[in-house]
Amino acid sequence: MSKLIVDGELMLYGPVGFTDFWDESGFTSSQVVEALGELSGDIVVRLNSGGGIAMEGSAIHNALKRHDGRVTVKIDAIAASAASLIAMAGDQIEMSLGTLMMIHEPSGMTLGPADDHRRTAGVLDTMTGVFAQVYGKRTGLSEKEIRQMMKDETWMAPQEALANGFATSVSEHAPTAPTADAAFDYRTYAKAPDRLKRLAGERKAMGLPMVAVAAAPHKRKDVTMTEPNLAAPDDQAAANMQDVNSRIYQLCTFAKMTLLEANEIVLDAKGDFAKAQTMVINHLADQDPMGGRVSPNHFGDSNGSVMVARDIEDALYARIAGKPAQGRASEWQGRSLLEMGAALLEARGERVISRNRDRLATQIMSSGSTHSTSDFPFVTGNAANRFMLDAYRAVETPLKQLARVRNAANFKAMTIGRMSEMPRLEEVLEGAEITYGSRSEAKETYRVKTYAKMFGISREALINDDLDAFSDTLRAFGQAAAQTEADLIADLLLDNDGLGPLLDDGVTLFANARGNKAVTASALTISSVSDGRKALRDQKGLDNETPLSLKPQFLIVGSGNETTAEQIIAAITPSATEEVNPFSGKLSLLVEPRLEEDAWRLFASPDQAPILEIAYLNGVQQPKLETREGWNTLGTEFRAILDFGCGITGWRGAYLNEGE
């Protein structure tokens, strides 16, 4: 078992990114990944670290975010610098009284000429930006506010961290570790509390070893006329790795990737820059999302070819969407498809073998003369995917607002478990034992399925500079993906004549026996909605005893009830008490024409009582476009794929009136 696991908890004590030789404290991202492989479900992470290597901290942050269970981070004494980034991965972040958290801008040092210093400064700026995104996402503070806090080197006691959103709770219990990470030299921080500086001074006075790393330095191998003073092999290897990782971070910045995305690339590439290039482009294909997958060495080292591809992609997207191109992309407006394709070939260093339109089209589509993958299908796929997603998002069903979104790792059936409420706390008499409480459980299942179609852009269309049919097809595919989702979700609600699917207890989603269906169908009125609200309020938990006091948030109707529903939720200025609209501003209206004309439903917020769950494969929450060189046709083939599933998680939190 990993040495980081103690009594079932992940203990992250000491410097981030390496192990101190003297007291063996500290931890690396690879050690954390290894330890997480031995843990499953909900975990507790205990953190006591003065900081360390910034990129190691972000890699550990990402590893914790990928964990399949709930992560509770308990700061036992201190979480400073890179350790504070690790803390942000917690679903819950608990600080004990007397503990500290600190955020600041990452730092580093460079040995070399001016260009090397400028390069390091650029990397540090990039790291500051992406780290600020992580802090901002956790706290809700603006990037400007976070950046200022980082610049100021902000130290926070528990209550301050809680108020600023860096912690979710403060424990009054004494911390497990009464002393901050003792081996760290806190004097390297400009604004460290005096007690930490004294701790470092006392340790140094005792002749004990100390750690003082805020970020890994960027080293440059000197070229000298005499015998060089070479670093130790391990140090040199670390410096080379750091150099490659810095280049990868720069590449991720050009690709406009987030910290979470960039660090996954750094962690998985393991110092292989060529592999990182391929992963960056493939990641953009899946997540940006901009369709298609590419083979290694798709783009050269030159950032110029990447920028040309990006500009042409933006120009193609504008053309397909019928919009004016913006920025640098406007330079390509009015250029033919063949001209754009030839420019892509030249940008990556290939020679255009012929200006004959037919032969040029063949080279642009396949680069057959060099037996390599052409940029043009990839760039076209990116632009096509963006336009398809515009069409998809424009017609998404509002019913998705009712759903809790889940990530599916495969196509196997997924079980939706729901635990009952905890039993009441009971008085414990003097000398008596505390008794165990039991909880019941309900389960439902569904799975993700794949929905897909293929189409292509022909060599003839490329030669004729014709994208009209292509854009019409993309729009239709995007709309079809959204309609597929809408059909599947609506079918759940319409199953069994509108009563919904059978749940694990053999009863439909809506039933009189559940108390979530109107006994007598009635039209949509203030009075009938009031009855539905009361029915939601009165629903009991799985123990059939605990009042849930659920509040309706959504009023769901078909197209036949849209106007009446708007009147019910409209804000009015009453002239008498009886004219007061109790639902003004309290309900959100969702209109789905696939639902019945007369029936209407009330749903609580999915955060309070999830009824509907939707899932996407590997977190890709939209259709994606993949490309390849045409085989059945001369040109490029595209396939639109949607990996989607939906299911009902339970019945509590919804109400049906079949209307009249």
Side-chain angles (χ1 to χ4, degrees):
M1 176 175 287
S2 168
K3 69 175 185 178
L4 299 182
I5 301 175
V6 179
D7 295 332
E9 297 179 337
L10 187 61
M11 307 293 287
L12 303 184
Y13 275 36
V16 178
F18 57 93
T19 301
D20 182 65
F21 175 80
W22 297 94
D23 60 12
E24 297 186 350
S25 65
F27 48 92
T28 66
S29 59
S30 60
Q31 289 173 332
V32 172
V33 170
E34 178 184 357
L36 288 173
E38 300 175 17
L39 298 171
S40 61
D42 298 347
I43 62 171
V44 172
V45 179
R46 292 196 174 273
L47 187 58
N48 179 14
S49 173
I53 299 175
M55 287 186 291
E56 281 283 290
S58 58
I60 294 169
H61 171 278
N62 289 331
L64 291 173
K65 293 294 287 185
R66 290 195 299 267
H67 183 67
D68 60 4
R70 191 173 183 81
V71 176
T72 299
V73 174
K74 296 188 176 185
I75 299 173
D76 285 345
I78 187 170
S81 188
S84 68
L85 195 68
I86 295 172
M88 297 302 101
D91 297 296
Q92 295 291 323
I93 305 172
E94 179 183 305
M95 294 182 69
S96 299
L97 293 179
T99 61
L100 287 170
M101 180 182 290
M102 185 273 281
I103 66 170
H104 69 154
E105 294 178 329
S107 60
M109 61 182 180
T110 307
L111 302 176
D115 283 347
D116 282 359
H117 290 282
R118 280 189 283 267
R119 179 178 167 195
T120 298
V123 171
L124 291 174
D125 283 339
T126 298
M127 293 169 67
T128 298
V130 292
F131 292 174
Q133 291 177 14
V134 173
Y135 292 129
K137 184 175 181 180
R138 157 60 66 179
T139 64
L141 298 175
S142 68
E143 182 176 349
K144 182 179 179 180
E145 291 173 308
I146 292 292
R147 279 180 171 268
Q148 188 60 51
M149 292 179 71
M150 295 174 73
K151 189 178 185 65
D152 293 342
E153 187 186 301
T154 302
W155 292 79
M156 292 171 280
Q159 293 296 347
E160 294 173 296
L162 182 64
N164 287 322
F166 288 89
T168 60
S169 64
V170 176
S171 171
E172 296 184 359
H173 298 292
T176 303
T179 305
D181 175 20
F184 202 92
D185 190 351
Y186 297 99
R187 295 171 301 176
T188 58
Y189 295 141
K191 299 182 180 180
D194 289 340
R195 64 182 177 89
L196 294 180
K197 291 182 178 180
R198 284 196 302 271
L199 175 68
E202 292 168 358
R203 183 176 176 89
K204 183 176 182 180
M206 295 170 64
L208 296 174
M210 306 180 72
V211 174
V213 176
H218 169 69
K219 297 183 179 179
R220 173 183 177 272
K221 184 177 179 180
D222 294 321
V223 179
T224 64
M225 297 299 292
T226 59
E227 183 178 350
N229 181 17
L230 294 176
D234 288 346
D235 290 342
Q236 191 64 53
N240 293 339
M241 176 70 79
Q242 176 67 22
D243 184 71
V244 171
N245 287 347
S246 296
R247 295 173 63 203
I248 294 174
Y249 266 103
Q250 287 181 311
L251 181 62
C252 292
T253 303
F254 286 126
K256 300 180 181 180
M257 295 174 68
T258 67
L259 167 69
L260 302 181
E261 295 165 342
N263 281 316
E264 285 185 0
I265 300 295
V266 170
L267 185 63
D268 294 341
K270 298 178 180 178
D272 186 337
F273 186 74
K275 180 180 179 182
Q277 286 181 303
T278 300
M279 292 168 66
V280 167
I281 297 171
N282 285 344
H283 191 93
L284 286 173
D286 287 339
Q287 302 294 336
D288 190 36
M290 300 159 66
R293 309 245 347 142
V294 298
S295 57
N297 300 319
H298 181 73
F299 286 119
D301 279 350
S302 171
N303 290 321
S305 65
V306 176
M307 299 307 296
V308 170
R310 173 73 71 173
D311 294 344
I312 291 179
E313 174 198 320
D314 290 342
L316 281 172
Y317 166 71
R319 181 171 170 182
I320 294 171
K323 303 175 182 178
Q326 303 294 325
R328 291 195 308 267
S330 61
E331 299 175 9
W332 298 93
Q333 195 163 338
R335 302 276 193 99
S336 70
L337 298 177
L338 287 177
E339 288 177 307
M340 293 182 186
L344 283 170
L345 291 172
E346 292 171 343
R348 64 181 286 171
E350 287 194 36
R351 183 174 62 87
V352 176
I353 59 177
S354 175
R355 290 296 174 181
N356 176 277
R357 296 173 67 85
D358 182 63
R359 294 184 64 189
L360 178 58
T362 300
Q363 184 183 7
I364 288 170
M365 285 294 191
S366 64
S367 284
S369 63
T370 59
H371 303 285
S372 62
T373 302
S374 170
D375 292 343
F376 190 77
F378 173 73
V379 171
T380 306
N382 290 350
N385 204 22
R386 290 164 61 182
F387 179 69
M388 183 183 71
L389 290 179
D390 289 345
Y392 163 77
R393 291 173 179 138
V395 295
E396 282 185 290
T397 174
L399 296 180
K400 290 174 68 174
Q401 297 180 51
L402 304 174
R404 178 176 62 187
V405 181
R406 183 173 179 181
N407 179 35
N410 50 48
F411 295 101
K412 296 180 181 178
M414 294 183 293
T415 299
I416 310 167
R418 178 179 287 185
M419 299 298 294
S420 71
E421 295 66 31
M422 286 296 295
R424 300 289 190 276
L425 300 182
E426 298 176 346
E427 179 184 1
V428 180
L429 300 177
E430 184 178 355
E433 293 183 353
I434 301 174
T435 60
Y436 286 95
S438 60
R439 304 175 72 185
S440 56
E441 182 180 9
K443 294 181 179 180
E444 307 296 338
T445 60
Y446 72 101
R447 67 186 184 91
V448 167
K449 299 179 181 179
T450 297
Y451 306 87
K453 281 289 184 180
M454 291 185 64
F455 63 102
I457 178 172
S458 67
R459 184 179 60 171
E460 180 181 351
L462 180 63
I463 294 173
N464 294 338
D465 202 36
D466 181 12
L467 284 180
D468 292 340
F470 186 50
S471 62
D472 289 343
T473 302
L474 290 171
R475 182 182 294 106
F477 268 69
Q479 293 172 346
Q483 290 162 359
T484 297
E485 293 180 347
D487 289 343
L488 293 170
I489 296 172
D491 286 348
L492 282 175
L493 298 180
L494 294 173
D495 198 11
N496 293 307
D497 296 323
L499 298 181
L502 292 175
L503 303 187
D504 68 333
D505 58 3
V507 181
T508 53
L509 168 61
F510 298 103
N512 293 128
R514 300 194 190 281
N516 70 345
K517 175 179 174 293
V519 176
T520 303
S522 58
L524 184 61
T525 64
I526 293 289
S527 177
S528 61
V529 173
S530 180
D531 291 339
R533 177 173 65 176
K534 182 179 185 304
L536 276 181
R537 290 285 193 191
D538 291 344
Q539 286 181 4
K540 301 290 194 301
L542 285 177
D543 58 5
N544 293 318
E545 295 180 2
T546 303
L548 298 179
S549 190
L550 300 174
K551 180 178 69 174
Q553 178 170 328
F554 298 103
L555 173 60
I556 301 97
V557 301
S559 55
N561 263 329
E562 182 172 1
T563 300
T564 303
E566 289 177 332
Q567 293 171 335
I568 287 178
I569 66 174
I572 60 174
T573 303
S575 59
T577 302
E578 60 271 15
E579 295 178 0
V580 171
N581 180 2
F583 299 107
S584 174
K586 294 183 179 179
L587 293 174
S588 297
L589 176 61
L590 304 182
V591 181
E592 175 47 74
R594 291 170 175 79
L595 301 180
E596 312 95 327
E597 286 273 320
D598 298 324
W600 53 273
R601 297 165 176 83
L602 291 173
F603 273 67
S605 165
D607 294 331
Q608 186 181 25
I611 299 292
L612 174 66
E613 186 171 278
I614 61 178
Y616 296 89
L617 186 68
N618 296 326
V620 182
Q621 297 182 18
Q622 61 268 313
K624 61 181 179 180
L625 210 61
E626 295 183 345
T627 69
R628 72 170 185 176
E629 182 183 349
W631 182 257
N632 296 324
T633 60
L634 293 176
T636 299
E637 293 179 345
F638 298 83
R639 61 181 184 185
I641 300 174
L642 175 67
D643 296 310
F644 175 80
C646 58
I648 299 296
T649 68
W651 59 268
R652 294 167 179 84
Y655 174 83
L656 167 69
N657 188 311
E658 295 176 292
E660 63 176 17

